[in-house]
Amino acid sequence: MSIENLKSEHRSEPQNPLIADVLYKRKVLESWGRGIGLMINECKRVELPEPEFHTNGNFVWVIFRYANQVSDQVSDQVSDQVSDQVKSLLSIIGQETLLVTEIMERLSLNHRTYFRKHYLNPALQAELIAPKYPKPNHPKQRYYLTEKGKAIKLTSD
């Protein structure tokens, strides 16, 4: 089936009707043949570019794009709300991906609880930094700046 046919109304044939029936009964699926249209409409609703659909004849995959730039107005507003501690954390991380111990050492901090309360957690909650691993207590956990964090760092430099 071509991508254009997938974007228009079409009859959908599940590869495994048994699994499809279970998903429908559990209300994970609302009906067949609407998924692509729903994805396109949801992207339009939140003002994202239309997703890209690709197929090799057997499989379909979708690429979602997002705006990776924070507007100057938004970054200025957020920058005004960010504490000096968080700004110094952003400055320390920069373009690197660092361990908590490395960040604390560069900030000359010894007290981990204080660091988490005044530096790390506010930056995570504001989505200015992100963890490399989804598990918070991962033994090799490192942190890096998000696009939003990079924009804040640039406006405060």
Side-chain angles (χ1 to χ4, degrees):
M1 183 177 270
S2 73
I3 297 299
E4 292 309 313
N5 288 345
L6 285 173
K7 287 183 177 182
S8 64
E9 286 191 35
H10 62 279
R11 179 154 163 64
S12 182
E13 291 290 327
Q15 293 293 318
N16 188 324
L18 185 61
I19 292 174
D21 188 48
V22 170
L23 293 173
Y24 177 75
K25 286 179 179 174
R26 295 285 300 153
K27 299 185 186 213
V28 173
L29 299 173
E30 61 180 69
S31 67
W32 291 110
R34 295 197 52 224
I36 290 177
L38 289 172
M39 285 187 268
I40 293 170
N41 290 338
E42 187 63 15
C43 286
K44 285 179 186 174
R45 185 185 73 76
V46 295
E47 299 178 1
L48 289 176
E50 184 175 304
E52 297 173 23
F53 297 91
H54 303 275
T55 183
N56 65 1
N58 296 321
F59 298 97
V60 174
W61 63 95
V62 184
I63 299 174
F64 294 94
R65 304 281 180 199
Y66 65 95
N68 62 357
Q69 295 180 356
V70 179
S71 72
D72 291 339
Q73 181 181 7
V74 172
S75 63
D76 288 345
Q77 289 172 352
V78 174
S79 182
D80 292 341
Q81 298 169 0
V82 172
S83 69
D84 290 338
Q85 288 98 334
V86 172
K87 286 179 183 176
S88 61
L89 172 73
L90 300 179
S91 181
I92 291 295
I93 294 175
Q95 297 300 316
E96 299 181 77
T97 303
L98 300 173
L99 295 163
V100 165
T101 53
E102 293 172 321
I103 299 168
M104 288 178 63
E105 183 179 304
R106 292 181 187 188
L107 289 168
S108 301
L109 295 172
N110 296 332
H111 199 268
R112 187 173 276 243
T113 305
Y114 179 85
F115 169 74
R116 286 195 180 279
K117 182 177 178 182
H118 296 282
Y119 292 81
L120 189 65
N121 290 339
L124 285 167
Q125 289 169 354
E127 298 177 347
L128 301 175
I129 64 171
K132 183 174 179 180
Y133 303 101
K135 185 178 174 186
N137 295 330
H138 191 284
K140 295 181 181 177
Q141 187 64 272
R142 294 173 176 271
Y143 296 90
Y144 61 92
L145 295 184
T146 61
E147 292 300 320
K148 188 175 173 183
K150 289 175 187 174
I152 298 300
K153 182 184 174 299
L154 290 175
T155 60
S156 63
D157 283 348

